[in-house]
Amino acid sequence: DKVGVIGVPSCKGQSAGGVQHGPKALRQAGIIDKLTQLGVEVYDYGDLVFEQFDDDTPILGLKNPKNIGLAAKKISDQVSRVIKDDQIALTLGGDHSLSIGTIHGHAAAEKNMCLVWVDAHADINTPLTSPSGNVHGMALSFLVKELKEYIPQIPHFEWIKPCISAKDIAYIGLRDLDPGELWIVRNMGISCFTMHEVDRYGIDMVLRMSMQAINPHGDRPIHLSFDVDSLDPRISAATGTPVPGGLSVREGIYIAEELAATGKLTAVDLVEVNPLLGTKEERDLTVYAVYMFIISGLSLCVI
Ligand SMILES: N[C@](CCCC[B-](O)(O)O)(CCN1CCCCC1)C(=O)O
Ligand SMILES: [Mn+2]
Ligand SMILES: [Mn+2]
Ligand SMILES: [Mn+2]
């Protein structure tokens, strides 16, 4: 398979400085060289450049609407182009608000796509349920069709068309939801495999149940959105919102390998690596965990 790498140095979806350096840290870990050595045909599109707007006042508490709304449009267009060029769109983040663009762009190129969201968090607060106003915790709310009536008009977000149904989403690794998110996940019937399910069934069964729920015939292009904080903080401390009791590196790698083995993996987001947080050891370990995740997965795409 061919892989198109898109750097997205975004940070305005959250408040910790440094996550914009994620793409550089992942590149420096040698992801592109390693994939090439393994026989993957890699196209590096470099980092997207976002014009900075300082006059960006919060709306209904949502922070940086203009910067994020305009960035998401660029991301969406780029991901769409890469997928239409028959390449797996590998997006290096940057904070999780970038997934507004990657999922929107994927859905524009592949009508029948489905989504696996690996994260400690559900990232589905609406602007009105968010406790922080940080868009990285709201990304999915703008994309899920069944939530449309709950989303207020946000300047610079008007172009975003909800493009995925609740039934097309599977969460893996959840362990920190806000009240509004709990209501949404329960009432929208989104397939939800929290860390409790991972403990109870094991990661293989959780993946089988996820695919049974969202891709039963194995014919749908898969979007894998991987937040590094899904992993246990002991191996991924260099991230903005760590939560104890997460996935092991092996469980993370297994998810990547199994989804890649379907032959339907079409887009992958690697988000929330913040090289400025934690000690040097913690940063190197966090980056290495993501490196192992993506190399293990995508190297299977050449078999
Ligand atoms: N749910 C949170 C965290 C979002 C994390 C986004 B991700 O997954 O991309 O990193 C708030 C979480 N919670 C709020 C109360 C105090 C503890 C943290 C939010 O701000 O919406
Ligand atoms: Mn998270
Ligand atoms: Mn996230
Ligand atoms: Mn995070």
Side-chain angles (χ1 to χ4, degrees), residues 3-17:
V3 172
V5 178
I6 307 163
V8 175
S10 65
C11 65
K12 295 188 187 301
Q14 49 87 66
S15 22

Side-chain angles (χ1 to χ4, degrees), residues 50-113:
F50 302 120
E51 194 183 342
Q52 300 301 314
F53 299 95
D54 300 330
D55 62 330
D56 198 0
T57 42
I59 172 100
L60 295 170
L62 184 151
K63 297 172 192 162
N64 301 312
K66 185 171 182 178
N67 281 285
I68 294 171
L70 294 176
K73 182 71 176 70
K74 280 187 96 166
I75 296 162
S76 179
D77 294 344
Q78 179 68 23
V79 167
S80 240
R81 258 195 306 274
V82 167
I83 292 173
K84 283 174 180 165
D85 274 355
D86 200 23
Q87 298 164 13
I88 295 173
L90 175 58
T91 302
L92 310 180
D95 73 79
H96 223 159
S97 65
L98 66 77
S99 294
I100 298 172
T102 60
I103 293 167
H104 193 276
H106 189 179
E110 295 282 0
K111 286 281 158 289
N112 193 28
M113 53 82 79

Side-chain angles (χ1 to χ4, degrees), residues 20 32 70 84 119 138 143 162 192 207 217 225 234 237 248 297:
Q20 70 274 19
I32 294 178
L70 294 176
K84 283 174 180 165
D119 202 324
M138 309 180 208
L143 300 168
C192 192
L207 273 165
H217 308 296
S225 200
R234 287 170 302 178
S248 67

